[in-house]
Amino acid sequence: MKQKGALALLRAASRGSIGVAAGPQGPDPLLERGRQLHRSGRLDEAEALYRKVLAFNPGSVAANAALAELLLQRGNYPAAIACLDLCVAAAPKNAEYLNNLGYAHILNNTQEFGLPHLLKAAKLDPKNWRILANVGR
């Protein structure tokens, strides 16, 4: 199932390059709590916290990436794409964000918009098997 593949990719990115939103005082406790709720399957509560973080800091890449993962899990591909667009705008050379955006477009059946992101991701990280697998989809 394509949706499970997307979740695995975004979870990997969340543990790696996306990380935790950190400010001068350290990690954002609301975002961390949202991730805990998300991992435990309490999606409504997690989404509310992600959106609360974004209300205070609309440019939070970590919160947008976390919300995108949740939205993909729910099958809301257009909203997930919007969140990932913000991540890519903030970090245009981040191969994981580009890959996730490209794959979200595949899930949304808008491959023609996702392919350029996947190709750019493959150029930035040519040994990443997840990216290469998505380019071949």
Side-chain angles (χ1 to χ4, degrees):
M1 174 184 250
K2 285 184 180 180
Q3 189 173 355
K4 286 186 180 183
L7 293 176
L9 289 173
L10 286 173
R11 282 190 189 113
S14 293
R15 287 190 303 271
S17 62
I18 293 174
V20 176
Q25 280 76 34
D28 184 327
L30 286 178
L31 183 57
E32 275 303 291
R33 179 67 181 138
R35 287 179 182 200
Q36 291 169 353
L37 292 167
H38 192 166
R39 283 190 294 271
S40 67
R42 296 165 62 182
L43 301 184
D44 291 336
E45 294 170 80
E47 183 173 354
L49 285 179
Y50 294 155
R51 291 191 184 280
K52 191 171 189 177
V53 171
L54 289 168
F56 289 113
N57 181 6
S60 170
V61 176
N64 274 299
L67 181 58
E69 177 185 339
L70 187 146
L71 293 168
L72 282 172
Q73 189 173 356
R74 289 187 159 171
N76 189 347
Y77 306 132
I81 288 168
C83 291
L84 289 166
D85 276 334
L86 294 171
C87 293
V88 168
K93 293 187 178 182
N94 183 303
E96 288 297 327
Y97 297 155
L98 290 161
N99 181 55
N100 292 340
L101 179 56
Y103 194 68
H105 275 290
I106 290 171
L107 293 172
N108 193 50
N109 203 26
T110 52
Q111 295 88 335
E112 66 276 12
F113 298 109
L115 185 58
H117 299 293
L118 291 171
L119 293 174
K120 186 173 179 183
K123 186 175 180 181
L124 290 168
D125 190 357
K127 294 183 181 181
N128 185 317
W129 66 270
R130 287 184 180 104
I131 295 170
L132 298 176
N134 288 336
V135 170
R137 289 183 191 267

